[in-house]
Amino acid sequence: MSRSSKFLDGLRLAPVDPSSHLSLGTKAAQWEGAPSKAELEPATRQLLERLHDLQDVFHADGRYALLIIFQGRDASGKDGVIRTVCGAFNPTGVQVAAFGPPTALELRHDFLWRVHQVVPPRGMIGVFNRSHYEDVLAVRVRELASEDVWRARYDQINAFEQMLAQNRVIIRKCFLHVSRDEQRTQLQERLDDPTKNWKFRLDDLEDRARWDDYTDAYRDALTRCTSDAAPWYVVPSDRKSVRNYLVARMLVETLESLSLEYPRIDDDVRKAAKDFK
Ligand code: AMP
Ligand code: MG
């Protein structure tokens, strides 16, 4: 076994441990000693092919829904991982939902109302670009609701996710963790590259200025709302090739754990089709 394939063996995400203190510093945004992009990309390509095949049997099996949630600061790579990793899926079986500031109507409902509507049905994969976690992140940091309102939401989120899991929605949550330096590089690129200018918003800078408040809010969300049924993963995301490999591998392992099967043709259908040839 070569040095890099041995290393690849150990390159996998572990669910957040609710009793641990998550540092969420620069180190956690990197995977020290990870293989080069040239080594990771072919391995990721294989995982993506496997993911494509697994989705086919997942869809045919039809017993489960899969909900993949991506959270992360501005320019942390949410769009990129969705394009690259979720791009492996047959689009017919995927629905992507992005969550921006709530509309006037959404604000008149409970915060989970708009979320529940786009939870995927069984057989389908739902991908969230941001999610109900904004209601304990942006809402908390920007003080858009009083503390008693957002504090009550950790329990409400746990109850909601437990209910979904009991209804055979498989939930996986990825926090794309970038360092402060890497975010600066990515935001600068949005300013410099005319094809990326449109992604840049002034409130990205306001949120960047509240870096430490967001770190606290993420730490609480990730440790209070992680469970076997709906685990959080901290994805070191300073390097895209590492991020893509880790997310792809976690999704492959998730789908493999479900013992998916293609449904068998009914006996009477087979009988009726006997003379078909
Ligand atoms: P983007 O993902 O860059 O298109 O930006 C979406 C923006 O919507 C981010 O600044 C989020 O913080 C914000 N957002 C999403 N959900 C909520 C929410 N429930 N309350 C307030 N802001 C939100
Ligand atoms: Mg923003």
Side-chain angles (χ1 to χ4, degrees):
M1 202 186 264
S2 71
R3 191 200 66 82
S4 74
S5 57
K6 244 207 226 124
F7 199 103
L8 281 180
D9 262 2
L11 195 64
R12 59 139 48 113
L13 295 169
V16 167
D17 170 359
S19 64
S20 72
H21 176 82
L22 283 181
S23 83
L24 301 182
T26 301
K27 261 188 132 170
Q30 290 147 13
W31 192 298
E32 208 184 309
S36 67
K37 181 174 167 185
E39 287 169 295
L40 280 170
E41 280 188 345
T44 304
R45 257 197 308 279
Q46 275 184 10
L47 288 170
L48 296 182
E49 277 170 27
R50 178 86 185 116
L51 207 50
H52 181 87
D53 294 344
L54 281 163
Q55 182 206 6
D56 195 63
V57 60
F58 171 85
H59 181 73
D61 177 295
R63 281 177 299 160
Y64 304 101
L66 174 63
L67 174 58
I68 313 165
I69 295 178
F70 292 105
Q71 278 289 158
R73 301 172 196 263
D74 292 303
S76 59
K78 299 183 291 298
D79 292 325
V81 81
I82 292 171
R83 189 174 55 245
T84 309
V85 178
C86 300
F89 297 134
N90 176 346
T92 306
V94 191
Q95 50 191 49
V96 183
F99 293 89
T103 63
L105 176 64
E106 286 166 351
L107 281 172
R108 290 168 60 202
H109 284 277
D110 69 90
F111 75 107
L112 293 168
W113 179 74
R114 66 175 182 164
V115 178
H116 204 167
Q117 292 180 69
V118 286
V119 168
R122 290 179 200 121
M124 294 286 286
I125 298 176
V127 179
F128 283 4
N129 183 338
R130 303 189 190 267
S131 66
H132 44 296
Y133 282 92
E134 291 294 327
D135 293 279
V136 289
L137 294 164
V139 168
R140 166 176 165 170
V141 173
R142 297 187 207 139
E143 298 180 18
L144 302 175
S146 61
E147 179 162 352
D148 55 323
V149 168
W150 60 256
R151 275 218 182 269
R153 287 180 175 164
Y154 299 106
D155 288 345
Q156 293 164 1
I157 289 173
N158 284 333
F160 173 64
E161 293 182 355
Q162 287 298 325
M163 181 276 292
L164 293 180
Q166 284 164 358
N167 284 278
R168 284 184 272 132
V169 182
I170 310 297
I171 304 171
R172 294 292 181 269
K173 301 178 292 199
C174 294
F175 170 49
L176 304 184
H177 177 45
V178 287
S179 65
R180 215 173 167 158
D181 280 353
E182 181 59 24
Q183 193 201 41
R184 189 194 322 105
T185 306
Q186 294 302 326
L187 287 177
Q188 189 63 49
E189 202 177 310
R190 289 184 176 184
L191 283 173
D192 296 343
D193 180 346
T195 68
K196 292 188 178 169
N197 282 175
W198 64 277
K199 288 189 177 187
F200 189 89
R201 295 212 185 87
L202 265 187
D203 64 11
D204 297 354
L205 295 183
E206 285 167 24
D207 281 347
R208 181 171 164 80
R210 300 173 177 128
W211 186 273
D212 293 338
D213 291 341
Y214 270 103
T215 302
D216 290 343
Y218 266 111
R219 189 181 292 120
D220 281 350
L222 268 59
T223 52
R224 286 173 191 215
C225 302
T226 193
S227 62
D228 289 345
W232 267 112
Y233 298 89
V234 177
V235 185
S237 298
D238 271 9
R239 280 180 52 199
K240 297 180 175 75
S241 54
V242 174
R243 174 199 76 197
N244 292 342
Y245 177 87
L246 287 168
V247 172
R249 180 167 180 179
M250 183 274 289
L251 293 175
V252 164
E253 289 177 354
T254 297
L255 290 176
E256 280 178 347
S257 74
L258 298 177
S259 313
L260 299 166
E261 281 177 31
Y262 284 102
R264 293 290 194 90
I265 199 166
D266 284 346
D267 280 348
D268 43 349
V269 176
R270 190 180 293 281
K271 232 180 252 159
K274 209 169 164 202
D275 302 322
F276 173 66
K277 277 188 204 141

